[in-house]
Amino acid sequence: FTKENLRRYDAIVLNNTSRLKFPDPSQEQALLEFVAGGKGLVGYHAATDNFYAHPKAAAMMGAQFNGHPWGSGGTWAFKLNDPAHRLNAAFGGDGFWHQDEIYQYRPETYQGPEVLRLLMSLDMTKPVVAERVKNQRGSADTADEFPEVPVSWLRSYGEGRVFVTNLGHREETFANPVVLQHMLDGIQFALGDLPVDTTPTSQV
């Protein structure tokens, strides 16, 4: 991660990276300037389990890992926050059930709908989903206390573009053609080949 090397690329994909740490502060700055200058960043699953020593890079991603009460052995319900958005086109406007490991995020690092365009989240109206938070946090009023667990989002960052999806722990996810289309659309957006609306959710 140097300014010189990054000039060779149009986007970076963090595919299940974990605990990524830059040995030199100039490398974080190179990444931030790469994206802000008009390039792209894509994150799959553990991409949000990074940058603990680099708060600016963590903020650029949009959120940071805080456990996964929705384990990889479970099948969870997902809803589309923005059914008509181009990056959700693969899902045909419908929520779905899928087996994968899903994260919750540190509240102090989650950038929220004021910054992010939320595409997909866990469907907390389904008891099997909501009860996982209750068991983790010891709360009896889960839906009110933790109303949204984002799964996919995008954002503008300076002149650049960021797409993140928490899907991708299980290898079967990468064999699912619908999810793969969602990921491909996210890559094309990050590259600048697929223009889409990046207005934060709170402003829509």
Side-chain angles (χ1 to χ4, degrees), residues 11-69:
I12 295 168
V13 177
L14 301 179
N15 182 6
N16 277 287
T17 55
S18 188
R19 304 286 170 171
L20 188 61
K21 183 177 181 179
F22 299 122
D24 189 301
S26 67
Q27 293 179 309
E28 178 187 19
Q29 191 61 31
L31 175 62
L32 296 172
E33 292 179 4
F34 172 82
V35 181
K39 303 299 180 126
L41 178 63
V42 175
Y44 296 152
H45 192 58
T48 55
D49 186 28
N50 290 297
F51 305 132
Y52 294 100
H54 311 289
K56 291 182 180 179
M60 179 173 62
M61 292 298 295
Q64 203 167 43
F65 172 80
N66 191 32
H68 43 75

Side-chain angles (χ1 to χ4, degrees), residues 164-185:
V164 175
T165 182
N166 186 222
L167 298 173
H169 177 85
R170 295 180 61 93
E171 62 185 50
E172 293 91 344
T173 291
F174 293 96
N176 183 314
V178 175
V179 175
L180 279 180
Q181 187 63 57
H182 178 61
M183 291 175 164
L184 175 60
D185 290 343

Side-chain angles (χ1 to χ4, degrees), residues 8-196:
R8 303 164 56 200
Y9 303 100
D10 293 315
I12 295 168
V13 177
L14 301 179
N15 182 6
N16 277 287
T17 55
S18 188
R19 304 286 170 171
L20 188 61
K21 183 177 181 179
F22 299 122
D24 189 301
S26 67
Q27 293 179 309
E28 178 187 19
Q29 191 61 31
L31 175 62
L32 296 172
E33 292 179 4
F34 172 82
V35 181
K39 303 299 180 126
L41 178 63
V42 175
Y44 296 152
H45 192 58
T48 55
D49 186 28
N50 290 297
F51 305 132
Y52 294 100
H54 311 289
K56 291 182 180 179
M60 179 173 62
M61 292 298 295
Q64 203 167 43
F65 172 80
N66 191 32
H68 43 75
W70 302 276
S72 62
T75 299
W76 315 112
F78 299 86
K79 69 174 184 178
L80 303 181
N81 296 76
D82 200 340
H85 196 280
R86 177 62 183 81
L87 293 196
N88 276 336
F91 303 111
D94 298 321
F96 59 98
W97 292 80
H98 181 70
Q99 185 177 7
D100 214 333
E101 179 185 87
I102 303 300
Y103 292 172
Q104 60 187 17
Y105 298 99
R106 295 184 175 190
E108 67 272 20
T109 65
Y110 175 49
Q111 300 297 296
E114 296 76 23
V115 173
L116 310 176
R117 182 66 169 262
L118 301 178
L119 300 172
M120 181 198 316
S121 61
L122 285 172
D123 187 347
M124 301 297 281
T125 68
K126 303 297 191 290
V128 69
V129 176
E131 286 172 358
R132 301 298 294 192
V133 178
K134 181 174 66 177
N135 293 341
Q136 180 86 354
R137 296 165 62 93
S139 169
D141 196 12
T142 304
D144 291 336
E145 184 182 357
F146 210 98
E148 199 81 276
V149 178
V151 175
S152 293
W153 61 81
L154 62 88
R155 66 171 298 181
S156 295
Y157 186 81
E159 298 298 318
R161 299 156 300 277
V162 178
F163 168 76
V164 175
T165 182
N166 186 222
L167 298 173
H169 177 85
R170 295 180 61 93
E171 62 185 50
E172 293 91 344
T173 291
F174 293 96
N176 183 314
V178 175
V179 175
L180 279 180
Q181 187 63 57
H182 178 61
M183 291 175 164
L184 175 60
D185 290 343
I187 289 175
Q188 291 186 306
F189 155 71
L191 287 168
D193 293 338
L194 184 62
V196 303

